[in-house]
Amino acid sequence: MRSHVTLIVTYAGLAVLGACLVWLLVAGDAFENLGPVLPWMVAGALAVAALTGGLMWLAFFSSRRGYDEPYDVNRPNDGRRR
């Protein structure tokens, strides 16, 4: 299942890249107007990707360590399963 998601994301990224290249070749002048904001768009996309990756890492880390387990007052060690 994981490889399917990877392939879908890869093909979607290649499709967006291809669409941008076609736009550059066909429109020509329209891409020049995007030039001043393009570095900010790339930086924003990288920041969102880094934030998403970091938050997903935290979610899986807490799940593996057992921090997501329900609290049980009848168990030793403050009710956590370890």
Side-chain angles (χ1 to χ4, degrees):
M1 182 66 178
R2 177 181 262 175
S3 63
H4 294 293
V5 173
T6 304
L7 284 175
I8 290 171
V9 170
T10 301
Y11 288 144
L14 289 174
V16 169
L17 181 64
C20 288
L21 290 175
V22 168
W23 180 29
L24 176 63
L25 292 173
V26 172
D29 293 340
F31 199 71
E32 290 176 8
N33 294 334
L34 187 62
V37 297
L38 191 59
W40 294 104
M41 290 172 56
V42 170
L46 289 175
V48 167
L51 182 64
T52 302
L55 290 174
M56 289 299 293
W57 179 81
L58 283 172
F60 285 112
F61 177 79
S62 69
S63 177
R64 281 192 302 263
R65 295 290 174 119
Y67 295 124
D68 297 339
E69 297 294 326
Y71 184 77
D72 187 4
V73 294
N74 297 322
R75 288 188 168 264
N77 295 330
D78 298 329
R80 294 195 173 186
R81 295 182 209 165
R82 293 185 190 213

